[in-house]
């Protein structure tokens, strides 16, 4: 049955029932503030949680004891649920997981690794586990590993990304067709209308990153935030697939990467150019020329820097308006 043949009541039930996500995290709105390196400290996570969405601390840019400090400060700043995003490719992963357990964090988003490695271990300790994927294949592996929900992230997203370049609007219905666990859409979502579109395609919640980078509470450098606001269509590009695909704002560092590609550079040469702490230099320290500036394609639609609560209010207001327009068709 096609969408336009459905009754208004059936459309509402099928498209806008988001209780599995809100119940899973005990939040008001089915929105997750993404745990992004150098952007998602305790201030952003607590502000997001206080606004009725799920805030995430980005552990990828933190030494273990720094993570502990952020968790403790987040607990003091909000009484609402929050979680930690953990890329699983770091050597001190056991110490990070131990701190998460010791500090009583109840929600963990894992990424960049095999979900089987940590899912059961975390769940045995009463922790809800969500895994981030970029393909149907990895969504199925995450479901088989027993995760509580999955984030399907499309090619539009900022930061590290999938190699297949599958867009969000293609990926979400494909994943929905194959998995039965709660599905969260990510990549290219910064507005209420985009949130609604993701729901129509089968998502039960959305994860938003780039819009929250340009917030007052983000730990990103003010110059990087302004660069995000100034970005236009076509100002970002997915690159460095030979190492770990990452979407960057085009700057001097990006141009140097492209020059190496034009010379037929090897992965070793690319790795040497990348060096260490490029992302910190760009996003946290504000070196807009030599730093790695990770952001999504949707940055072209972000025009201001606001407090988190205003961002959430605007998204929900637009979502409800768009939903009413659809239901009135």
């Amino acid at each position: 049955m096609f969408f336009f043949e459905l009754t208004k009541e059936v459309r509402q039930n099928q498209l806008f029932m988001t209780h599995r996500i809100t119940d899973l995290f005990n939040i008001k709105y089915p929105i997750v503030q993404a745990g992004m390196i150098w952007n998602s400290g305790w201030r952003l996570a607590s502000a997001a949680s206080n606004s009725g969405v799920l805030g995430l601390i980005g552990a990828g840019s933190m030494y273990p004891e720094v993570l502990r400090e952020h968790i403790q400060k987040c607990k003091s700043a909000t009484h609402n649920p929050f979680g930690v995003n953990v890329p699983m490719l770091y050597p001190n992963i056991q110490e990070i997981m131990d701190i998460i357990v010791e500090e009583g964090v109840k929600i963990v988003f894992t990424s960049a690794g095999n979900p089987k490695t940590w899912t059961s271990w975390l769940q045995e300790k009463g922790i809800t586990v969500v895994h981030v994927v970029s393909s149907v294949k990895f969504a199925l592996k995450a479901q088989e590993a027993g995760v509580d929900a999955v984030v399907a992230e499309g090619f539009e997203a900022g930061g590290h990304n999938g190699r297949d370049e599958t867009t969000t609007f293609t990926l979400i219905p494909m994943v929905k067709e194959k998995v039965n666990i709660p599905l969260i859409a990510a990549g290219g979502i910064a507005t209420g209308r985009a949130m609604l579109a993701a729901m129509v395609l089968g998502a039960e919640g959305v994860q938003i990153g780039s819009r929250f980078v340009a917030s007052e509470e983000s730990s990103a450098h003010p110059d990087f935030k302004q660069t995000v606001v100034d970005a236009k269509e076509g100002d970002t590009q997915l690159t460095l697939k030979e190492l770990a695909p990452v979407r960057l704002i085009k700057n001097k560092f990006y141009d140097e990467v492209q020059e190496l590609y034009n010379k037929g550079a090897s992965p070793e040469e690319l790795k040497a150019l990348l060096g260490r702490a490029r992302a910190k230099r760009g996003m946290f320290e504000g070196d807009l020329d030599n730093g790695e500036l990770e952001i999504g394609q949707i940055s072209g639609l972000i025009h201001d820097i606001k407090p988190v609560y205003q961002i959430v209010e605007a998204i929900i207001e637009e979502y409800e308006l768009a939903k009413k327009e659809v239901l009135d068709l």
Side-chain angles (χ1 to χ4, degrees):
M1 182 180 292
F2 291 103
F3 173 76
F4 55 77
E5 294 175 325
L6 300 176
T7 67
K8 180 176 179 179
E9 180 180 4
V10 171
R11 287 197 309 240
Q12 177 134 17
N13 288 339
Q14 286 197 353
L15 301 180
F16 311 119
M17 289 179 65
T18 59
H19 62 274
R20 286 212 295 179
I21 294 299
T22 53
D23 288 354
L24 182 64
F25 301 135
N26 191 25
I27 54 178
K28 184 176 181 180
Y29 306 119
I31 297 173
V32 177
Q33 163 256 307
M36 305 162 286
I37 64 167
W38 302 115
N39 295 279
S40 306
W42 70 270
R43 287 185 179 86
L44 177 56
S46 61
S49 290
N50 285 334
S51 300
V53 309
L54 181 67
L56 293 182
I57 296 172
S61 53
M62 299 178 183
Y63 290 114
E65 287 307 315
V66 173
L67 173 61
R68 187 189 297 275
E69 178 184 351
H70 277 260
I71 292 172
Q72 291 175 349
K73 288 182 176 179
C74 198
K75 287 192 292 187
S76 297
T78 183
H79 297 297
N80 295 333
F82 71 91
V84 176
N85 174 269
V86 183
M88 296 187 289
L89 44 73
Y90 295 100
N92 53 7
I93 186 72
Q94 180 68 62
E95 189 176 358
I96 288 171
M97 293 301 193
D98 287 341
I99 287 171
I100 285 171
V101 173
E102 290 165 10
E103 294 297 332
V105 175
K106 295 302 181 185
I107 301 168
V108 170
F109 280 50
T110 55
S111 60
N114 187 344
K116 287 185 178 179
T117 308
W118 289 101
T119 296
S120 295
W121 187 89
L122 289 165
Q123 289 173 335
E124 287 168 2
K125 293 163 177 59
I127 296 173
T128 297
V129 180
V130 182
H131 193 64
V132 182
V133 302
S134 59
S135 70
V136 175
K137 177 178 72 174
F138 290 122
L140 286 169
K141 287 187 176 182
Q143 180 171 263
E144 291 167 7
V147 301
D148 297 288
V150 67
V151 175
E153 185 174 76
F155 165 74
E156 302 95 321
H160 292 286
N161 214 317
R163 286 183 167 83
D164 295 331
E165 301 190 7
T166 306
T167 64
T168 301
F169 270 30
T170 300
L171 181 61
I172 295 305
M174 286 183 174
V175 173
K176 183 66 175 179
E177 186 179 55
K178 297 296 184 180
V179 305
N180 52 40
I181 57 177
L183 170 61
I184 301 166
I189 301 168
T191 65
R193 290 186 180 277
M195 177 177 167
L196 178 65
M199 301 294 197
V200 171
L201 290 173
E204 296 170 72
V206 295
Q207 177 173 283
I208 297 174
S210 297
R211 173 66 269 202
F212 287 118
V213 169
S215 69
E216 292 183 1
E217 295 88 348
S218 164
S219 51
H221 193 282
D223 290 348
F224 175 53
K225 294 181 188 182
Q226 190 59 48
T227 299
V228 172
V229 169
D230 294 339
K232 304 289 190 300
E233 178 190 3
D235 282 353
T236 73
Q237 186 74 36
L238 191 70
T239 188
L240 293 173
K241 283 190 175 184
E242 294 81 355
L243 305 181
V246 62
R247 179 172 294 282
L248 304 175
I249 289 178
K250 297 172 182 176
N251 64 350
K252 179 174 175 289
F253 167 64
Y254 170 83
D255 290 340
E256 290 171 354
V257 171
Q258 297 313 114
E259 287 176 15
L260 277 185
Y261 274 119
N262 292 337
K263 295 176 181 177
S266 67
E268 289 72 25
E269 290 172 305
L270 291 169
K271 190 178 296 185
L273 173 63
L274 181 61
R276 292 179 57 84
R278 281 277 188 180
K280 179 182 180 182
R281 193 186 311 179
M283 294 184 284
F284 191 69
E285 297 176 350
D287 186 343
L288 304 181
D289 291 326
N290 301 301
E292 191 175 300
L293 307 179
E294 303 178 11
I295 205 71
Q297 284 182 327
I298 201 65
S299 55
L301 204 58
I302 297 171
H303 306 308
D304 49 26
I305 300 167
K306 292 181 177 180
V308 165
Y309 81 91
Q310 290 185 8
I311 292 172
V312 173
E313 284 179 351
I315 290 171
I316 296 303
E317 182 178 352
E318 184 177 295
Y319 171 83
E320 293 295 342
L321 177 61
K323 183 173 72 171
K324 183 178 183 302
E325 291 172 355
V326 170
L327 290 175
D328 286 343
L329 289 175

